[in-house]
Amino acid sequence: MTRIAIFADAHFPDRPDTVKDTVFEWVVHETARRQVDYLVGAGDLTSIGTAAAARRLRQKAGALPLLLTPGNADLRSPAETAACLEILQTSQMQDNIVLLDTSAIRLSPASRALLAELPPQGNRIAVTHCPHHYLPSEDQQLLAECLADQTITTLVSGHIHRDEDNGPYQVTCGIDPDKALGGPPAIIIMDNASGSWQREDIACDFADPRTWAIAERTEWLGFLGISGMKDTLAALAAAAEHCVPSFEIRAAESLALPATALAAAMDAWRRRGGRHLSIHLPTIGLNADGAVSVPVNMSASLEMARQVRAHAVTIHPPAAPVAALRSDSSLYASMLDAFAHTLAPLVKDGIVIGIENMHLRRDEPADEQRFFGYTPQECREWIAALRQRLGNEAVGFLLDIGHARNNHSLASRYNVSEWYAELGAWLTGCHLHQFTVLDGKAQGHCPLKKLFGHAISLSSFFIAWQQGQLARVPMYLEIRTEPAIESYLALRDILS
């Protein structure tokens, strides 16, 4: 009899303080507790293929009997690929377990040769990273032939971050709490005691807020809210109707509203339990001549924040290329002066300032020609500079989870859970939304109606929240394609 635990898509980062470590520690504990023969890793063991991350994963596994095969993420740092793969190297065949390398989205020559040499034997299991239907047709055919002649009887893979059970083809959602879809992070136990391989799914219970005590869920919902987006009055009416505690007004879309209508809508919302109010300010950037430019509607936006008694404001980092800010110290200083001068009146009124992370736009390069504020370090740098001018309590971080995830190549280098670890204690608020890919193009600000959605899983957010890595702050569902209240009610229904 053979009993193995399989995990996939750990996406382990270099830094040791993310909730990914917490989940992997759970994997190690569960594996030891369940007395399996082997712990098997089905690829994407590291986030970007660094030796440091590979070394940390091996060390955290301790004395467990470990079998590993790489994934495409383990090849993302070409300068470190050889060292990373050497650290992750284990036996590729042990007892009736075969490890196949599909890290290049095809069977490696060595894995094809291994399969060709294997004699038919009932109850042999193969573990790889890419599911068979992601592989070239010749690889799919080879695997089908191996299953037909009983060279292998079951193939287990990861890569797609969701569970699938298709007879001999098995897929696990993986253990990355940023990306496990359809449910919380999980491992699978494969056991052949009955004469064929039987699967048991073991979910990470603390990554699922439905397992929390009702008081914890109620507390989380007490901070959840919506953004008014382009229809402030309708959104406020819905927020009042459903007693939504947190609300954000987009100033640019609301300045033309009649003051009496906005005040009446605000009063109605507050009477129904509205507590946390934020104003999303316009962006400070550069004009056509490359000089710092404060939008003409900024003064009116600041006055709106005071008039509606906002608790906080949200503002983007400087809309300027990284290269320009790095190469021209006077431009950097002028930009900082503009932010500090513009926002200082808010500080006097006790209104907290949240700097929001941004993301790579479509076709924008990932080098220093991109705009500023797309990485945790850049956001921390700008907040720290403003804190020197305005005070530590005056300025913090507004985390947009969708921007962090929909950040193209930077999303792998800076995982969502790394944003939590870097800046979670500095939070003033959060923007929550889902994103999807339509016709090959990413579209953000989509409805967020599931805990473990098709691109963004909230598992890591909930773990970080429960463990105190995230400050308790208002969260605004920032949805463009439909009223945000629909996502709010869906999440409230799930967690009530």
Side-chain angles (χ1 to χ4, degrees):
M1 183 192 88
T2 305
R3 180 175 168 85
I4 63 176
I6 302 175
F7 72 94
D9 300 289
H11 300 131
F12 229 45
D14 288 0
R15 61 185 303 158
D17 56 348
T18 75
V19 294
K20 293 188 182 188
D21 273 62
T22 305
V23 174
F24 192 69
E25 289 163 6
W26 168 83
V27 170
V28 171
H29 172 78
E30 284 297 308
T31 300
R33 187 173 73 84
R34 293 171 186 276
Q35 299 181 318
V36 301
D37 298 301
Y38 300 100
L39 174 60
V40 183
D44 275 13
L45 306 167
T46 65
S47 179
I48 56 170
T50 59
R55 193 175 298 112
R56 288 202 323 105
L57 186 138
R58 291 298 300 260
Q59 291 171 346
K60 275 196 167 290
L64 288 175
L66 197 62
L67 298 174
L68 303 172
T69 188
N72 55 290
D74 303 313
L75 311 182
R76 284 177 175 155
S77 298
E80 296 193 56
T81 296
C84 176
L85 295 182
E86 182 179 358
I87 294 167
L88 296 175
Q89 180 65 42
T90 65
S91 171
Q92 296 304 285
M93 187 167 177
Q94 191 73 38
D95 297 338
N96 52 354
I97 308 163
V98 180
L99 280 294
L100 302 176
D101 182 353
T102 55
S103 57
I105 322 298
R106 63 179 183 271
L107 282 168
S108 69
S111 291
R112 289 185 66 89
L114 176 59
L115 286 172
E117 295 170 0
L118 288 176
Q121 172 192 316
N123 247 351
R124 184 182 285 133
I125 190 170
V127 179
T128 191
H129 181 59
C130 286
H132 73 288
H133 54 278
Y134 274 67
L135 304 176
S137 57
E138 59 269 24
D139 289 346
Q140 294 186 41
Q141 182 177 349
L142 175 58
L143 291 169
E145 291 170 355
C146 289
L147 286 163
D149 68 12
Q150 297 289 288
T151 298
I152 58 176
T153 57
T154 303
L155 177 69
V156 182
S157 56
H159 186 58
I160 59 176
H161 309 150
R162 65 176 184 268
D163 290 319
E164 289 188 1
D165 183 348
N166 298 312
Y169 299 107
Q170 299 286 319
V171 184
T172 176
C173 70
I175 63 167
D176 182 351
D178 291 340
K179 296 182 177 180
L181 309 180
I187 59 174
I188 62 175
I189 304 291
M190 298 297 292
D191 191 316
N192 67 358
S194 65
S196 62
W197 290 100
Q198 301 296 315
R199 169 175 175 161
E200 179 186 5
D201 291 83
I202 311 296
C204 181
D205 56 350
F206 57 81
D208 187 343
R210 294 171 299 183
T211 69
W212 293 2
I214 187 63
E216 290 181 286
R217 284 179 278 147
T218 300
E219 180 196 32
W220 192 85
L221 288 170
F223 287 95
L224 185 63
I226 63 175
S227 169
M229 300 305 283
K230 293 186 177 182
D231 198 343
T232 303
L233 295 181
L236 272 170
E241 178 184 357
H242 297 286
C243 304
V244 176
S246 303
F247 194 89
E248 182 166 81
I249 293 174
R250 296 182 68 88
E253 285 82 1
S254 305
L255 288 173
L257 293 174
T260 54
L262 180 59
M266 293 295 306
D267 289 344
W269 168 67
R270 285 188 165 111
R271 286 196 300 270
R272 296 297 302 275
R275 298 196 305 275
H276 309 288
L277 177 65
S278 174
I279 305 296
H280 199 311
L281 299 177
T283 302
I284 300 175
L286 303 179
N287 62 21
D289 297 326
V292 175
S293 175
V294 179
V296 295
N297 61 353
M298 182 64 84
S299 294
S301 300
L302 299 177
E303 181 59 27
M304 170 185 280
R306 289 189 286 269
Q307 289 294 328
V308 299
R309 307 193 311 278
H311 302 93
V313 297
T314 299
I315 188 169
H316 295 166
V322 174
L325 292 171
R326 295 287 183 235
S327 63
D328 187 343
S329 59
S330 63
L331 177 64
Y332 190 101
S334 295
M335 186 67 78
L336 186 59
D337 287 343
F339 267 73
H341 177 74
T342 298
L343 300 173
L346 297 177
V347 178
K348 293 180 180 178
D349 290 336
I351 299 174
V352 176
I353 300 153
I355 304 298
E356 178 183 7
N357 59 303
M358 298 304 291
H359 66 98
L360 283 166
R361 295 161 293 171
R362 194 173 299 151
D363 302 323
E364 186 178 12
D367 59 21
E368 290 208 336
Q369 297 308 309
R370 64 172 173 80
F371 273 24
F372 185 79
Y374 297 178
T375 73
Q377 292 76 21
E378 288 168 2
C379 290
R380 174 177 280 274
E381 171 193 333
W382 195 249
I383 294 166
L386 281 173
R387 284 182 164 190
Q388 288 186 341
R389 299 287 192 91
L390 302 175
N392 286 349
E393 301 303 317
V395 188
F397 178 54
L398 188 292
L399 169 66
D400 189 303
I401 187 174
H403 291 175
R405 180 73 175 86
N406 183 23
N407 206 8
H408 301 284
S409 60
L410 295 179
S412 296
R413 188 166 295 278
Y414 305 102
N415 301 170
V416 173
S417 55
E418 292 182 74
W419 285 92
Y420 302 156
E422 182 73 23
L423 287 161
W426 284 15
L427 288 186
T428 62
C430 294
H431 285 165
L432 303 182
H433 53 92
Q434 185 58 271
F435 85 91
T436 189
V437 177
L438 298 174
D439 299 325
K441 298 178 180 179
Q443 178 177 316
H445 301 281
C446 294
L448 184 63
K449 298 180 179 180
K450 297 180 180 179
L451 302 180
F452 319 105
H454 61 274
I456 298 176
S457 172
L458 293 178
S459 282
S460 59
F461 188 92
F462 283 115
I463 299 172
W465 178 280
Q466 189 180 52
Q467 294 187 348
Q469 193 171 56
L470 299 179
R472 300 297 199 258
V473 294
M475 300 166 283
Y476 310 101
L477 287 158
E478 197 180 40
I479 314 298
R480 292 191 190 277
T481 56
E482 66 180 37
I485 194 65
E486 296 184 24
S487 291
Y488 173 84
L489 293 175
L491 292 178
R492 190 172 73 175
D493 184 59
I494 292 169
L495 293 174
S496 290

